[in-house]
Every structure is written in structure tokens, then in C-alpha cells.
Amino acid sequence: MDVDLRKVRYFVAVAEELHFGRAAERLHIAQPVLSRQVRALEEELHAQLFVRDRRSTELTAAGRQLLEDSRPLLASADALKRRVTRAARGSASFTIGFMPGLTVTDAVRALTARHPGLTIELVRTTWDDQTEVLHDGRADVSLVRLPVEPRGLSVRPMFEEPRVAVLPDAHRLAGKESVSITDLAAEHLLNDPDAVPEWRDIAVELSSGGRPRAHGYHSIEEKLEHVAAGRGIAIVPLSTSEYYTRPDVTCVPVSDLPPNQVSLAWMASRRSRLIHDFAEIVTA
């Protein structure tokens, strides 16, 4: 049996919304059409995917498994389409993703020297999509900051760099040569706490049931705006702090945080001479 990717996309929309009406609006189709497509998928898979009543829609165990497997399947399909479209243009191209604070200029020049006529494109990534751009085909390789989910990827270490605390310029710790993570225990962290487990484990605001975790900051620029406004602090790699300087914030090394690991990642299933050459260049 061949799985219809359109039905899978419909299923994912319902699974993420847990509401057929909202999913139909998201997909720009009529709700009865969506319901028929999901029922058809259930018949093809011989499995019930949702439990529905008048008040709620919930995933079954089979539905949860399908959702877990569907996302990489759809990302692979999108990646295939993007690569084929690029190949159909008739000129070789190569897309590199990179995180804030990292530069790829020298590596791009070296790759171009090896492959004259190659078109190189760049994609700036964030913590949220630094590996997603590989799975969905937006990038051939990505310079990532660990940790990342390694499933389906080849990950090659490049270098390490220290992490610093970004503080408002009038902060009590501003001007210190360095601080420890315990010095920051009473601060409000603008990172996801899971990204700095050393802080999370001693954080006053989490142990006392105080302010909730900060979410929704998709860029370093957003974090710096909130730091400057006195709404919290951020922990960032040294190169990021040096690249995004501004007069109303200051950076202090955190002496007892492990360094940030920068690595090159690509889809493990890819067998590309360009990927091999780029990996050789950046890890030399």
C-alpha cells in the first residue's frame, strides 16, 4: 500500500490543531472534505487515528505514532521537491545554513575555488530551525550549535567557544571580570531554561513557583531588546555577543559553564561531493 502524502498532510494539520474546523481553515478546504480524507487514511492504515466527541478531538496511540513518523516523512518529501527544482534550473547550487555569530565567508570562498560556477546560497537559522532546514531541504549543510536532535543527521565537530551572560549595562554584575552560574540564580533567564540546565537546576524563579519560563524569542535581536529593557538576562556564545554589540548591554564571561560546541550537520542519507568537500574545508 502506498501512503498518500496529501492525506498525511491533512492528518498532521488535525493532529496539531486537535480540531477539525481549525485544521480545515488552516488547509483552506471544507471541513467535510477533511473529515472524509482522514477517514480514508484510517481505512488505508486499518487504524483509528482520533477519538472524537462533541467537546474534544484526541489522538489515539496509533495517531501519536503516525504524527511522530509523519513529520520527517513530509520534511523529506519537501526536501526532495526543493532539490529537484534546483537541479532543474540547470546550474549547480549549494545552500549553507548558519547560526547567529558564525561566519562562513572563508569556507564559501574555498568551496567556490574548488567548484567554479557553483551558486552558493546562505540561510540564517535560529535555535528553532537549525536542523529543520536540513530535513525540509532548505539547506544542504548547516553550521549548528549543540545540542541538536541527531536523528537522521551526520554531525561533525568544528570548534568550541565559551558562553557569556548578557546583562543590562546598569546591572549589578556589569563590569565583573567573570561570574559563576550561582551569581545568576536569582535572575530571570530569557533563554529556554532547558538550554542552560546548570541555571535551571538552581534558578530561584523556578524553585519558588515565580515567573514562568520565557518563550517565543526567535532571534538574538529580540533577546537583546529585552535584556536592554531590564526584563532579564541571556546566555549566549562568545562569538554571538561579539557580533551583536550594542551600548546598552554588557557581556560577562560565566566561568563554570561548559563551552558551546559548534558542529557541521547534514542529512546522513545524502551522498554529495559538495557536502564532502565543504565538510573537509570547515573541519580542516
Side-chain angles (χ1 to χ4, degrees):
M1 177 196 69
D2 294 327
V3 177
D4 184 341
L5 289 182
R6 182 183 61 177
K7 293 190 183 78
V8 174
R9 291 186 192 278
Y10 288 175
F11 158 77
V12 169
V14 178
E16 291 178 345
E17 298 289 345
L18 289 178
H19 191 282
F20 275 76
R22 289 195 298 268
E25 291 178 4
R26 170 174 154 184
L27 295 165
H28 306 292
I29 63 174
Q31 184 173 335
V33 173
L34 177 59
S35 298
R36 286 197 299 270
Q37 292 295 316
V38 170
R39 282 197 301 271
L41 181 61
E42 289 177 321
E43 291 172 3
E44 292 172 6
L45 296 175
H46 304 290
Q48 183 178 357
L49 303 175
F50 296 100
V51 176
R52 301 173 65 184
D53 58 31
R54 292 185 177 181
R55 292 178 299 177
S56 66
T57 298
E58 300 293 337
L59 285 164
T60 64
R64 289 192 294 272
Q65 184 63 57
L66 181 59
L67 180 60
E68 180 180 341
D69 292 336
S70 292
R71 285 169 171 152
L73 174 65
L74 294 176
S76 294
D78 291 339
L80 182 149
K81 182 178 179 180
R82 284 190 173 98
R83 288 195 291 269
V84 170
T85 299
R86 287 203 299 264
R89 294 173 186 163
S91 60
S93 65
F94 190 73
T95 302
I96 303 165
F98 65 98
M99 283 285 284
L102 303 178
T103 57
V104 294
T105 307
D106 291 342
V108 167
R109 288 172 177 164
L111 187 64
T112 303
R114 289 193 187 190
H115 300 273
L118 177 66
T119 299
I120 296 180
E121 299 175 356
L122 301 174
V123 175
R124 181 186 182 277
T125 61
T126 68
W127 281 106
D128 296 329
D129 68 356
Q130 58 176 335
T131 58
E132 182 181 317
V133 296
L134 300 172
H135 289 287
D136 65 18
R138 281 178 285 161
D140 295 291
V141 296
S142 183
L143 276 68
V144 301
R145 295 190 183 278
L146 301 188
V148 298
E149 170 53 59
R151 184 173 63 174
L153 301 177
S154 292
V155 181
R156 185 174 298 183
M158 292 174 57
F159 61 88
E160 295 180 339
E161 59 175 319
R163 291 188 284 172
V164 302
V166 185
L167 314 169
D169 61 347
H171 193 277
R172 61 185 176 85
L173 298 174
K176 294 274 189 180
E177 289 189 8
S178 67
V179 296
S180 69
I181 196 65
T182 54
D183 294 327
L184 305 173
E187 302 294 334
H188 177 54
L189 188 71
L190 298 175
N191 304 69
D192 182 336
D194 290 338
V196 192
E198 299 84 0
W199 177 89
R200 179 198 61 201
D201 294 340
I202 63 170
V204 172
E205 70 176 22
L206 297 183
S207 63
S208 64
R211 286 173 291 182
R213 297 181 177 189
H215 292 292
Y217 302 125
H218 299 295
S219 70
I220 182 64
E221 292 88 351
E222 289 177 282
K223 285 181 183 175
L224 292 179
E225 285 292 334
H226 287 280
V227 170
R231 297 183 183 126
I233 68 167
I235 302 295
V236 304
L238 177 61
S239 64
T240 303
S241 70
E242 293 175 337
Y243 192 85
Y244 293 90
T245 59
R246 49 187 293 170
D248 48 4
V249 303
T250 188
C251 300
V252 180
V254 185
S255 59
D256 50 355
L257 277 183
N260 175 242
Q261 173 70 58
V262 176
S263 298
L264 181 70
W266 65 92
M267 295 302 297
S269 59
R270 299 283 308 277
R271 298 293 182 269
S272 164
R273 180 67 188 179
L274 291 172
I275 291 176
H276 174 272
D277 287 354
F278 189 78
E280 185 179 78
I281 289 168
V282 298
T283 59

